[in-house]
Amino acid sequence: MRSYSQLTTGPPSPATLALTTVPAPSPSPTGTSLLLRITHAALNPIDLHLLLNLPAWLPFRRRPTPGFDFSGVVLALGPAVPASSGIKVGDRVAGSLGARQVALGVGSLAEYISVPVGLVAKVPDGWDGGQAAGGMGVAGQTAVLFARTIGEERVKGARVLVNGASGGVGVLLVQVLKGLGAGWVVGVCGGGNEGMVRGLGADEVVDYGGEEARGEGGLEGVLEGKFGGEGRFDFVLDCAGGQRLFERSVGFLKEGGRFVSIVGGRSQGVVPFVRNKLRPVMLGGTPRRYDLLAMMPSGEQAEVMKGWMEKGVVKEVPVDSEWVMEDVIKAYEKLETKHAKGKIIVKVAA
Ligand SMILES: NC(=O)c1ccc[n+]([C@@H]2O[C@H](COP(=O)([O-])OP(=O)(O)OC[C@H]3O[C@@H](n4cnc5c(N)ncnc54)[C@H](OP(=O)(O)O)[C@@H]3O)[C@@H](O)[C@H]2O)c1
């Protein structure tokens, strides 16, 4: 079986990946697992995070295959897969693997994988495998988590700012917000992506690299100027990582509004989380509610995305580019630029 593994020599990076042969999973899955023939995988920044930062002693480093998102065809069911799952041999399914499975070196960039049935949902009719992997994997499930965190009822009529609206999560989140009835959605992205983000339903777009945003007041000054006072937002959803955005959010986020971020990591994350969440206002804290989300993949969240794709809440999964397995290093190099326009897909097999 072919999969992408990281070579044990050389510094960790996408460039040290290699197409390798590894033993295929058992043709008879155990317990509640499914054996899948993968047709497509989709890439996420977390893949790079694991490739670059996991310590050498973890199994991921010994025989690692990266990749969380998948879509594929069910070849066999474990004996404990409940009939209530509705999953049969031959079904097309998609979802995201759990972090433990990927950290153990059994990611989705492989021809065959074994996946717990609780992590998959069926691919909606009319959607191809690439869009399903991109839409029902990490990015789509994160959009579900955002909607649940806010509360679907509170989305209706709300004014929402999405920072990073042109990325994998942002392109889905903008559609979800508008589809669930948000009153006014403003997307922040690079200038070249304005048309795409408007096409996904954003009512207004702000270019974080535009002339005004490069001025003294920065992006935050632009937002305060355009959306201050009565125009302030109910929610600021950060998919790009803006500590300054939070610290200056008083100017464009209502009192009682919420700043919800998904961006963590070594330089952002724990420190801002503690500071943003716990520092009292009298000690310089920002007087706005701050939440940092961590998405745990599940078939139930993939199912919600499936429903939204069927109902037209999500009308498209913008695909930045689709690559064949042999070119997966180039696909990761594209991801590494942090300027993908939507999802990066790898076609594993037909
Ligand atoms: N906590 C969680 O559970 C969770 C889940 C999923 C993702 N994440 C994290 O969320 C982030 C976004 O994920 P993704 O899949 O959407 O990433 P992505 O596809 O790589 O998208 C990155 C986007 O960020 C935009 N961007 C870059 N610099 C920016 C700036 N200064 N201001 C505003 N936008 C900027 C880019 O827009 P332009 O090309 O237009 O410049 C690009 O479209 C990543 O850090 C990821 O690790 C966290």
Side-chain angles (χ1 to χ4, degrees):
M1 176 185 87
R2 297 182 323 157
S3 89
Y4 254 97
S5 283
Q6 186 162 16
L7 297 174
T8 47
T9 55
S13 85
T16 59
L17 284 167
L19 194 56
T20 60
T21 303
V22 299
S26 159
S28 308
T30 56
T32 57
S33 291
L34 308 172
L35 177 66
L36 302 187
R37 182 174 62 77
I38 299 298
T39 60
H40 297 80
L43 307 189
N44 292 286
I46 180 84
D47 300 357
L48 283 176
H49 186 70
L50 294 188
L51 285 166
L52 299 172
N53 298 322
L54 276 189
W57 50 267
L58 278 181
F60 186 81
R61 288 266 170 258
R62 287 201 289 279
R63 204 196 69 192
T65 300
F68 281 74
D69 297 350
F70 61 85
S71 72
V73 180
V74 178
L75 297 183
L77 278 66
V81 172
S84 60
S85 71
I87 302 288
K88 303 179 301 299
V89 169
D91 282 345
R92 295 165 67 223
V93 295
S96 165
L97 301 176
R100 186 171 172 274
Q101 176 164 351
V102 182
L104 286 171
V106 200
S108 61
L109 279 164
E111 289 172 311
Y112 300 93
I113 55 170
S114 170
V115 182
V117 69
L119 291 181
V120 311
K122 288 188 198 175
V123 173
D125 291 341
W127 291 76
D128 73 35
Q131 291 173 318
M136 295 165 67
V138 168
Q141 294 190 40
T142 303
V144 173
L145 180 62
F146 263 125
R148 285 185 168 165
T149 302
I150 294 172
E152 281 191 31
E153 276 311 303
R154 282 192 288 269
V155 172
K156 290 193 177 68
R159 293 176 62 81
V160 190
L161 180 77
V162 177
N163 189 32
S166 53
V169 176
V171 293
L172 298 172
L173 186 57
V174 166
Q175 296 181 73
V176 167
L177 293 165
K178 286 305 288 183
L180 294 179
W184 199 254
V185 174
V186 177
V188 176
C189 63
N193 293 327
E194 182 172 339
M196 176 183 74
V197 173
R198 275 189 194 276
L200 296 170
D203 299 289
E204 268 183 86
V205 175
V206 174
D207 173 3
Y208 69 80
E211 204 178 317
E212 260 190 283
R214 281 188 275 113
E216 207 179 314
L219 169 67
E220 295 75 17
V222 175
L223 294 173
E224 197 168 336
K226 274 175 158 307
F227 309 107
E230 290 303 302
R232 286 183 297 171
F233 296 102
D234 298 287
F235 302 100
V236 174
L237 308 182
D238 186 8
C239 308
Q243 178 58 17
R244 201 174 119 110
L245 193 70
F246 175 66
E247 286 173 357
R248 296 201 32 206
S249 61
V250 173
F252 48 89
L253 177 60
K254 287 178 186 167
E255 218 178 324
R258 287 178 72 177
F259 189 103
V260 188
S261 177
I262 54 168
V263 182
R266 281 186 302 185
S267 58
Q268 309 182 51
V270 176
V271 173
F273 176 75
V274 171
R275 193 166 55 201
N276 297 345
K277 194 88 186 154
L278 304 177
R279 186 162 61 173
V281 175
M282 61 186 291
L283 295 180
T286 306
R288 291 295 178 271
R289 178 168 172 185
Y290 176 90
D291 292 293
L292 179 60
L293 307 183
M295 194 280 292
M296 305 289 175
S298 74
E300 188 268 333
Q301 289 168 157
E303 186 73 36
V304 174
M305 269 306 286
K306 171 184 182 257
W308 286 343
M309 289 157 82
E310 283 171 340
K311 285 186 205 139
V313 169
V314 171
K315 294 187 175 57
E316 59 175 300
V317 177
V319 171
D320 172 273
S321 47
E322 185 171 300
W323 306 80
V324 292
M325 270 289 253
E326 285 71 12
D327 286 337
V328 85
I329 291 167
K330 290 183 195 155
Y332 272 118
E333 282 168 355
K334 184 71 202 279
L335 182 71
E336 214 170 13
T337 66
K338 296 191 175 163
H339 292 294
K341 298 175 186 179
K343 294 302 299 176
I344 298 172
I345 307 296
V346 177
K347 188 169 181 180
V348 177

